[in-house]
Amino acid sequence: MATTQYPVEDGSTRTERRVGIRVFIYVIGLHVFAGFAMLIYYAGRHGN
């Protein structure tokens, strides 16, 4: 029988908050990465 050390709280406010924070961090990270890539392409185009 498998036992968990910590209780699982599916569907609770605490779990939803953790997921929301993780999604927010991923969205911000993706935008930072995309902005950096655009900056690299811009610098490459105009770096005669």
Side-chain angles (χ1 to χ4, degrees), residues 33-47:
F33 176 75
F36 179 71
M38 290 172 64
L39 178 66
I40 294 297
Y41 282 112
Y42 178 80
R45 251 185 312 178
H46 292 86

Side-chain angles (χ1 to χ4, degrees), residues 18-34:
R18 275 189 263 163
V19 170
I21 291 171
R22 190 175 300 150
V23 168
F24 180 74
I25 290 171
Y26 289 157
V27 168
I28 295 298
L30 181 62
H31 279 83
V32 168
F33 176 75

